[in-house]
Amino acid sequence: MTPPSEPISLSPEARPAEGRAVLPLYDQDPTERADAARNRAKLLEAAAALIREQGAEHLTMDAVATAACVGKGTVFRRFGDRVGLLFAVLDQTEREFQNAFMFGPPPLGPDADPVTRLEAFGVESLRRLAADMNLYLEADQQASARYGAPPRKVRARHVSMLLRRAQVEGDVELLTETLLGTLDPAFVNHLLTNRGRTAEELESGWCDLVARITHHC
Amino acid sequence: MTPPSEPISLSPEARPAEGRAVLPLYDQDPTERADAARNRAKLLEAAAALIREQGAEHLTMDAVATAACVGKGTVFRRFGDRVGLLFAVLDQTEREFQNAFMFGPPPLGPDADPVTRLEAFGVESLRRLAADMNLYLEADQQASARYGAPPRKVRARHVSMLLRRAQVEGDVELLTETLLGTLDPAFVNHLLTNRGRTAEELESGWCDLVARITHHC
DNA sequence: GGAATAAATGGACCGTGGTCCGCTTTTATG
DNA sequence: CATAAAAGCGGACCACGGTCCATTTATTCC
């Protein structure tokens, strides 16, 4: 069972880790200047603190800059835009999850059968989503960023691989995207908040969908 | 075969049509003052013109107000916010579609079997999406508006009804939302633009998904 | 028709995301 | 260590979405 690749960071600048550690390393773009790296760390820390205190929905770029004692331009230079900053804050968590489903123990990791792994993948996604829903919702706003982001690609590769190993016939890529669509933050939040669904229902709904797609007659 | 209900407008102010016409009427809130109605019309016209000229992505509220020779506050009073205005511009098209799948001829309308109607529903959605993609993308930005909007609810009711008539077992509402997720503008646009999928592939992908969900063994 | 009431109006105003560019700091080079 | 090139910096500035409220306009009732 060959791990497909290194975990891929949310931040465009970050590079793949050197080793095959199960937990991701805090790697940086080596060409980044010392002061830039320092400011990046200060900004991430400030952003995380502000999100903890006031919620991601009230995070303003000015506030982050001020809290980190840094000019506003620096925030944009480091993270591109607001969504980029939010992604960077989510980065750590994202990479843990990636490691778990690529290298970790069953049922998520490689030592389980594909259908079990698919089920576990969705269930774990839903739980992590629930844990940081507001942050994910904020980061999700821009439609363009939603699908192109590296973590999404990693997940898509992973799910496609599992579908193929489960001998699924048909347009695997399209089925993959359909499955991932079910885990979209805004979508899950809608079901939980406006449709009165419980987390358990969503989890078993995911497993049912996996069954329908993999056991099609 | 009983039509479930009247077409529901995108705009909160609009009321259901009086008759059972196949094509929707331009109905208004009767309590709306004459000057307000006049401005609404002027604004919708101006917005549509600007969108035609420069694309929905460049539409600003100031520009619409100026083009309609109206104060900016009026635009917001009439349509709530930018998404509300875009929805209002889409309203006409939306209601045509609603009429088509609720009262129109087969394969969309009531005189076809449920699975055929489901297939036609997705295919037609995808085509209409393609025709006004930029406008739909702009209107889609706000996650909260995405799922709560009246047309989405109408579609959900419709698809649920068809699934039940097709004797589908399981959590029909969840399956409905999954199916509709496949027709999300941002999602479809991503597949067409970034994944190099063709409209035909998406259409047959939809039909395949319908088959997997309705013919589950 | 005129007064009273309610609704609508418009544009000044505000907050926030994002850009720009002259200046400062770091780093590479000899 | 000196110097030059490159990278980073900061905060003034801009555009746009959205709010507010003093004033104007439509409607209703007598």
Side-chain angles (χ1 to χ4, degrees):
Chain A
M1 202 140 301
T2 318
S5 75
E6 302 293 345
I8 293 186
S9 167
L10 272 161
S11 314
E13 302 93 344
R15 296 283 165 271
E18 285 306 310
R20 284 272 156 100
V22 171
L23 289 179
L25 305 175
Y26 291 89
D27 44 17
Q28 300 285 358
D29 181 348
T31 71
E32 187 170 74
R33 248 168 61 169
D35 50 349
R38 217 180 311 128
N39 281 336
R40 166 188 305 271
K42 275 200 293 182
L43 284 165
L44 279 176
E45 205 173 326
L50 286 171
I51 288 170
R52 229 177 294 122
E53 290 161 20
Q54 326 173 326
E57 62 276 26
H58 296 124
L59 191 78
T60 71
M61 301 300 264
D62 280 289
V64 175
T66 303
C69 301
V70 138
K72 192 180 176 181
T74 302
V75 190
F76 284 91
R77 165 171 278 263
R78 282 278 79 74
F79 300 104
D81 57 15
R82 189 167 179 274
V83 171
L85 173 59
L86 294 170
F87 273 9
V89 173
L90 277 173
D91 193 47
Q92 165 74 0
T93 291
E94 281 295 323
R95 286 151 98 202
E96 277 174 27
F97 182 38
Q98 281 176 37
N99 265 288
F101 68 65
M102 295 199 303
F103 314 119
L108 224 41
D111 291 341
D113 72 285
V115 175
T116 303
R117 290 180 76 188
L118 266 180
E119 292 182 351
F121 176 84
V123 170
E124 181 63 19
S125 287
L126 289 169
R127 289 182 184 165
R128 286 175 176 268
L129 218 43
D132 284 313
M133 183 55 89
N134 284 347
L135 186 44
Y136 277 104
L137 278 181
E138 285 293 315
D140 186 50
Q141 305 271 34
Q142 287 194 356
S144 54
R146 202 153 62 229
Y147 299 102
R152 165 95 188 194
K153 286 187 195 161
V154 174
R155 293 177 189 207
R157 266 217 315 268
H158 182 67
V159 169
S160 292
M161 180 269 286
L162 293 178
L163 285 177
R164 269 187 281 267
R165 288 200 191 170
Q167 318 281 351
V168 168
E169 292 166 16
D171 190 330
V172 169
E173 193 200 14
L174 218 44
L175 293 172
T176 296
E177 300 284 351
T178 299
L179 278 172
L180 287 182
T182 302
L183 304 176
D184 177 80
F187 178 65
V188 170
N189 183 60
H190 167 69
L191 292 176
L192 291 173
T193 308
N194 307 119
R195 308 296 314 160
R197 293 323 196 92
T198 65
E200 291 70 32
E201 288 172 329
L202 264 46
E203 290 177 7
S204 69
W206 165 268
C207 294
D208 177 55
L209 192 61
V210 167
R212 285 176 199 263
I213 283 181
T214 57
H215 297 142
H216 179 47
C217 47
Chain B
M1 201 138 300
T2 317
S5 76
E6 302 293 344
I8 293 186
S9 166
L10 270 162
S11 314
E13 302 94 343
R15 298 282 166 270
E18 285 307 309
R20 283 274 157 98
V22 171
L23 289 179
L25 307 175
Y26 290 89
D27 44 17
Q28 300 285 358
D29 181 347
T31 72
E32 188 171 70
R33 245 169 61 169
D35 51 349
R38 218 180 310 127
N39 281 335
R40 166 189 306 270
K42 275 199 294 182
L43 284 165
L44 279 175
E45 205 173 326
L50 286 171
I51 288 171
R52 228 177 295 121
E53 289 161 21
Q54 326 174 327
E57 62 276 25
H58 296 125
L59 189 78
T60 73
M61 300 302 265
D62 280 290
V64 176
T66 304
C69 300
V70 136
K72 193 179 176 182
T74 302
V75 190
F76 283 92
R77 163 171 279 262
R78 282 279 80 74
F79 300 103
D81 57 15
R82 188 166 181 276
V83 171
L85 174 58
L86 294 170
F87 273 9
V89 173
L90 278 173
D91 193 45
Q92 164 73 359
T93 291
E94 281 295 324
R95 286 150 99 204
E96 277 174 26
F97 182 37
Q98 280 175 38
N99 265 288
F101 68 66
M102 295 199 302
F103 313 119
L108 223 41
D111 290 340
D113 71 286
V115 174
T116 304
R117 289 181 76 189
L118 267 180
E119 292 182 350
F121 176 85
V123 169
E124 182 62 19
S125 288
L126 289 169
R127 288 183 186 165
R128 285 173 176 269
L129 218 42
D132 284 313
M133 184 54 89
N134 283 347
L135 185 46
Y136 277 104
L137 277 181
E138 285 294 314
D140 185 50
Q141 304 271 34
Q142 287 193 359
S144 53
R146 202 154 59 231
Y147 299 102
R152 167 93 188 196
K153 286 187 195 163
V154 175
R155 292 177 190 208
R157 264 216 317 266
H158 182 68
V159 169
S160 293
M161 180 269 287
L162 293 177
L163 285 178
R164 269 188 282 267
R165 287 200 190 169
Q167 317 281 352
V168 169
E169 290 166 18
D171 190 330
V172 169
E173 193 200 13
L174 217 45
L175 293 171
T176 295
E177 299 286 350
T178 299
L179 278 173
L180 287 182
T182 302
L183 304 176
D184 177 80
F187 179 63
V188 171
N189 184 60
H190 167 69
L191 291 176
L192 290 174
T193 307
N194 306 119
R195 308 297 313 162
R197 292 323 195 93
T198 66
E200 290 71 30
E201 287 172 331
L202 264 45
E203 290 177 7
S204 70
W206 165 268
C207 294
D208 177 55
L209 191 61
V210 168
R212 285 176 198 263
I213 282 181
T214 56
H215 297 140
H216 179 48
C217 48

